[in-house]
Amino acid sequence: MPPFYVTTPIYYVNDAPHIGHAYCTVNADAIARWHRLAGDDVFFLTGTDEHGLKVAQAATANGLSPQAWTDELAPRFAGAWADLQIANDDFIRTSEARHHRTVQQFLQRIYDNGYIVSDTYRGWYCVGCEQYYAEDELAGDRTCPVHGRPAEWYEEENYFFRLSAFQDRLVEWFESDPGRILPEQKRNEALSFVKGGLQDISITRTSIDWGVPVPWDPRHVFYVWYDALVNYLTAIGYGQDDDRFARWWPAVHHLIGKEIIRFHCVWWPAMCMAAGIDPPNHVQVHGWLLVGGEKMAKSKLNQIAPGDLTVDFGVDPVRYHLLRDTPLGSDGDFSYEGITARYNADLANNLGNLLARVATVVGTKCGGVGPAPDPASRLAAVAAGVVAEASGAWEAMQPAAALEATWRLIRETNAALESAEPWKHAPGPAVDAVLGSALESLRIVALLASPAMPSTCAEIWRRLGLGGLPEDRRVPDDAAWGGYPGGLAVEKGAPLFPRRQE
RNA sequence: GGCGGCGUAGCUCAGUCGGUCAGAGCACACGGCUCAUAAUCGUGGGGUCGCGGGUUCGAGUCCCGCCGCCGCUACCA
């Protein structure tokens, strides 16, 4: 089985989980589920980023140690993902011992290779913020934009990563495979940044101690980004289990938001090179899920918690909407009108209603026993085309396109019923052929849509009378026309997606 | 300022190498059906493919200019 390693960024634990986080995580989950369905050996990783000044400050403000503080916060993310039926294989926290060990090993290696050097960091520093500011970030008279008091000129001995040494190799990496960073626009953005020249980066801090200690100089801790990125290696046994590491690396797919392109497409591959391992195979960049045209932010009070939506719409409809309405790469704008429209059109009217009408007619014309599909049905060709298109789209990390293709089979099946009108005819082979084919379409839809809506598709599977779960099947083999055996008891059940008013 | 991108039906968007490319879904209108969650099916778009030039037998699809919008231009988790 080919290895398929997919990651989300580790989320900064000081944030509350919101649908922007959920957007990325659900996409990664659906893609992971698709690859499991395709028979790949999948490892899906997410987690939390817990170091850094702001976390330490928040902990202090709450009268807790940073560790105790993050122990309280991390489960909010893990819990949010459990609620959304996210099937991650591991959940990593950067404060874990295993991660500290890997960071130290990895960065020691880079140090030994001569790519981390001691140098002096100079800049305008605000004591209140405990932070450096670039010249143009400061207000008039070089005052801190937050505190309004003058920043001070500081010089600090720091360790620097020699990013500048990797410009040529990074360009080579970018150009060795046009699919390295997708979509192409983001790739070009990152590439032009690299071509514009790279400076060395300060990667350690002495001002705080909530972080991973620098092994060769314990007065320092690593700057959060330099420890955070390494999580992708920690979880697959870097330095601990060489066979395991070799199985998953560099066959990785990093799913990230556009705001962290530089870290993942420039710093990270360079760090890997410096440590003597291959850079990641693929970085998939997604846009932002906006609310009212703006990025969600604590300060704007426009964050929407996933739980607020799932209580109202259900888990699978929320997952479906996130996957279907915002293709990876572009920004999306979340709205209740948007999710409601999608819910009614695609889930209630098309999918839910199709299952209901077919189940009813199977009940009246076939005594509730689902007939076998017609091998010569017009839908067979439609289904084959849909399977091919949806598969291609999932492979290309385009869940929206995959689902759009899948829904074409639903529409065609509704149309086929309309033209055959089995409810008007006496029971018999002709009616059986039409209804069996409709059931077969639903079976294939349940298979293809299961990465997006695992619970719903399992329920459809069950109502069709099929044993096991869609996720136990394999594509493309089990998506071939004719897989529905017939002779199974079909259950109508309550509406899968009750239509929503307004 | 520099580099890059975008501007196609009311809405969200597809449109590979220039020649049925003027499309899909939603919304809307009309008609059919009444098995189904007032769901579904069919039919309907006089859209200057941002504006103006150019190349070509022929351009959303290539070139130039203009207008409008957006992203990046480093040490922020």
Side-chain angles (χ1 to χ4, degrees):
Chain A
M1 296 196 293
F4 185 86
Y5 178 27
V6 59
T7 69
T8 73
I10 46 175
Y11 302 111
Y12 191 51
V13 77
N14 251 19
D15 278 338
H18 56 65
I19 55 174
H21 301 114
Y23 170 63
C24 181
T25 308
V26 167
N27 269 281
D29 181 61
I31 289 165
R33 286 174 183 272
W34 172 263
H35 280 273
R36 292 190 191 107
L37 206 55
D40 293 343
D41 192 12
V42 172
F43 189 72
F44 168 27
L45 177 70
T46 187
T48 44
D49 181 12
E50 307 190 354
H51 293 313
L53 179 62
K54 289 182 183 175
V55 172
Q57 288 174 334
T60 302
N62 285 278
L64 293 172
S65 70
Q67 187 66 62
W69 175 239
T70 56
D71 284 347
E72 288 192 5
L73 296 184
R76 293 191 306 178
F77 282 89
W81 303 154
D83 290 345
L84 279 168
Q85 309 260 302
I86 303 299
N88 48 300
D89 295 294
D90 195 355
F91 187 96
I92 190 165
R93 300 178 51 194
T94 56
S95 65
E96 293 174 306
R98 60 169 171 161
H99 183 63
H100 280 226
R101 187 175 56 207
T102 303
V103 169
Q104 292 187 329
Q105 252 180 310
F106 181 73
L107 286 155
Q108 179 74 52
R109 187 65 173 279
I110 297 177
Y111 183 70
D112 293 343
N113 287 346
Y115 292 112
I116 292 177
V117 296
S118 180
D119 202 345
T120 303
Y121 187 81
R122 303 176 175 81
W124 295 100
Y125 186 81
C126 172
V127 178
C129 300
E130 296 189 55
Q131 188 181 321
Y132 283 94
Y133 283 97
E135 185 96 36
D136 59 7
E137 287 177 315
L138 296 171
D141 298 333
R142 296 204 177 95
T143 56
C144 164
V146 177
H147 295 83
R149 65 195 209 192
E152 297 175 37
W153 181 255
Y154 266 45
E155 299 193 357
E156 177 181 358
E157 281 299 308
N158 267 337
Y159 289 97
F160 280 69
F161 174 61
R162 294 192 55 224
L163 182 63
S164 59
F166 294 92
Q167 182 167 348
D168 292 345
R169 280 198 268 171
L170 282 170
V171 170
E172 203 174 300
W173 175 69
F174 273 79
E175 294 180 341
S176 65
D177 180 353
R180 197 65 84 189
I181 293 161
L182 293 173
E184 189 182 1
Q185 258 174 265
K186 304 303 182 190
R187 178 196 108 108
N188 293 340
E189 198 175 295
L191 181 55
S192 72
F193 175 83
V194 172
K195 286 183 170 171
L198 298 173
Q199 299 172 17
D200 294 343
I201 302 168
S202 160
I203 63 165
T204 65
R205 298 289 185 271
T206 53
S207 51
I208 61 170
D209 56 12
W210 177 235
V212 180
V214 173
W216 61 85
D217 190 344
R219 296 171 304 164
H220 295 253
V221 296
F222 288 110
Y223 170 56
V224 286
W225 266 107
Y226 262 66
D227 111 46
L229 289 162
V230 179
N231 90 85
Y232 302 129
L233 304 181
T234 302
I236 54 170
Y238 173 88
Q240 300 297 314
D241 183 339
D242 292 343
D243 288 342
R244 179 155 182 259
F245 179 72
R247 180 148 119 261
W248 298 110
W249 197 265
V252 67
H253 303 266
H254 292 311
L255 196 52
I256 67 161
K258 63 182 183 181
E259 75 280 11
I260 53 178
I261 287 179
R262 181 167 316 135
F263 304 115
H264 284 81
C265 302
V266 182
W267 293 12
W268 179 229
M271 287 166 67
C272 291
M273 292 170 184
I277 65 172
D278 287 329
N281 272 358
H282 175 212
V283 179
Q284 176 72 44
V285 182
H286 69 252
W288 291 337
L289 193 58
L290 307 170
V291 172
E294 295 192 316
K295 187 167 195 253
M296 273 172 277
K298 259 184 182 173
S299 56
K300 289 178 188 157
L301 299 175
N302 61 352
Q303 294 185 333
I304 297 173
D308 293 346
L309 292 180
T310 55
V311 163
D312 203 10
F313 289 88
V315 170
D316 279 350
V318 170
R319 290 174 57 106
Y320 182 79
H321 175 248
L322 292 175
L323 293 166
R324 175 66 183 83
D325 281 318
T326 306
L328 290 178
S330 41
D331 290 346
D333 205 354
F334 175 84
S335 69
Y336 283 89
E337 292 77 8
I339 186 174
T340 300
R342 184 59 74 184
Y343 176 98
N344 279 338
D346 286 12
L347 302 183
N349 295 353
N350 278 314
L351 177 55
N353 184 57
L354 174 62
L355 177 65
R357 67 193 306 204
V358 170
T360 295
V361 184
V362 167
T364 57
K365 301 293 180 183
C366 310
V369 178
D374 175 9
S377 171
R378 199 181 60 75
L379 291 174
V382 174
V386 163
V387 169
E389 191 177 330
S391 300
W394 280 114
E395 291 293 331
M397 295 205 174
Q398 297 173 346
L403 293 170
E404 185 178 16
T406 301
W407 256 249
R408 203 170 72 232
L409 179 54
I410 296 173
R411 283 194 300 276
E412 292 288 343
T413 304
N414 269 319
L417 286 175
E418 209 62 46
S419 106
E421 301 183 305
W423 47 85
K424 281 189 174 175
H425 300 87
V431 165
D432 286 352
V434 171
L435 293 174
S437 296
L439 291 167
E440 171 63 343
S441 284
L442 280 163
R443 185 191 69 86
I444 293 170
V445 166
L447 200 54
L448 296 180
S450 65
M453 301 194 292
S455 298
T456 298
C457 291
E459 175 63 7
I460 293 172
W461 200 258
R462 192 189 67 74
R463 291 190 191 184
L464 294 179
L466 296 161
L469 294 168
E471 60 205 58
D472 299 329
R473 314 315 310 177
R474 290 291 169 265
V475 290
D477 289 0
D478 291 322
W481 187 262
Y484 187 72
L488 304 177
V490 172
E491 175 184 325
K492 180 172 181 185
L496 284 179
F497 305 105
R499 189 180 162 80
R500 298 177 67 88
Q501 295 311 312
E502 181 200 2

